[in-house]
Amino acid sequence: MIKKRLKGFSLIEIIVVISISSIILSSLFYLFSNINILNKFTTAKTEKSIEFAYFYHLIRNDLSNSVPGIINNENSIYLKDQNNLVINRLILNNKNPKIKNLIKIKWHNENGKVFRTQYSFANISERNRKLIIDVNDKVSFKMEKINEQRFSNVEDVITPSVISIEIGKNKIKTLTFKVGNS
């Protein structure tokens, strides 16, 4: 009788296959863990970009709808210091869109966090204070250009026509805004 010899894998062949498989699996694990880190990083950058775009458009809207001149014996747009920008602006009335209301907006910086506070006209009490963006860096408001047009009989009224916002200490980012619709 002829004996058939069954062929199988030797111990060395099995060890080689297990080693190669473990190398492939560890490289796949490393690749997927890097993709997860990259996804978290990209998501954080995207959220920060959305916050920054919201901040930019909100302050641009406030400045473009500002009212020139003097309101309640103060400039309608003024800088208290480099941390506070006050704007008197028009908004549409919720009940009747043909009517516009006058409100006061205060933009202020507190330790790298930019807040927007809304006051109703002739009412000093705070109506709506909201954190707009946390830049974790220095933020300062500056008057870049003064409007030459006269909106009042008072001589020392300074109305800005261009306002800039500087963000950062070392790498300064500057945002420049035109005041009013003119």
Side-chain angles (χ1 to χ4, degrees), residues 8-19:
F9 296 107
S10 69
L11 182 60
I12 294 177
E13 291 172 331
I14 292 176
I15 291 175
V16 168
V17 168
I18 291 174
S19 314

Side-chain angles (χ1 to χ4, degrees), residues 135-151:
V135 292
N136 290 325
D137 213 340
K138 181 182 176 190
V139 178
S140 59
F141 300 98
K142 292 187 177 181
M143 191 180 314
E144 294 294 331
K145 192 174 178 185
I146 296 172
N147 197 337
E148 300 296 328
Q149 295 177 346
R150 305 292 297 163
F151 297 105

Side-chain angles (χ1 to χ4, degrees), residues 101-182:
N101 292 338
L102 187 63
I103 60 169
K104 181 185 276 190
I105 304 292
K106 179 183 173 189
W107 286 89
H108 53 285
N109 170 33
E110 295 176 12
N111 301 322
K113 295 179 181 179
V114 179
F115 292 90
R116 180 181 185 261
T117 307
Q118 182 175 326
Y119 303 89
S120 54
F121 187 68
N123 188 355
I124 302 172
S125 64
E126 190 176 294
R127 185 170 134 195
N128 186 6
R129 181 175 191 245
K130 185 177 179 184
L131 172 66
I132 302 300
I133 190 168
D134 184 1
V135 292
N136 290 325
D137 213 340
K138 181 182 176 190
V139 178
S140 59
F141 300 98
K142 292 187 177 181
M143 191 180 314
E144 294 294 331
K145 192 174 178 185
I146 296 172
N147 197 337
E148 300 296 328
Q149 295 177 346
R150 305 292 297 163
F151 297 105
S152 158
N153 293 334
V154 180
E155 289 294 321
D156 60 343
V157 173
I158 298 172
T159 304
S161 63
V162 176
I163 289 181
S164 68
I165 301 171
E166 291 183 348
I167 301 171
K169 292 178 186 171
N170 300 331
K171 291 177 87 177
I172 297 175
K173 298 174 193 165
T174 303
L175 305 173
T176 305
F177 301 95
K178 185 177 178 183
V179 177
N181 288 319
S182 58

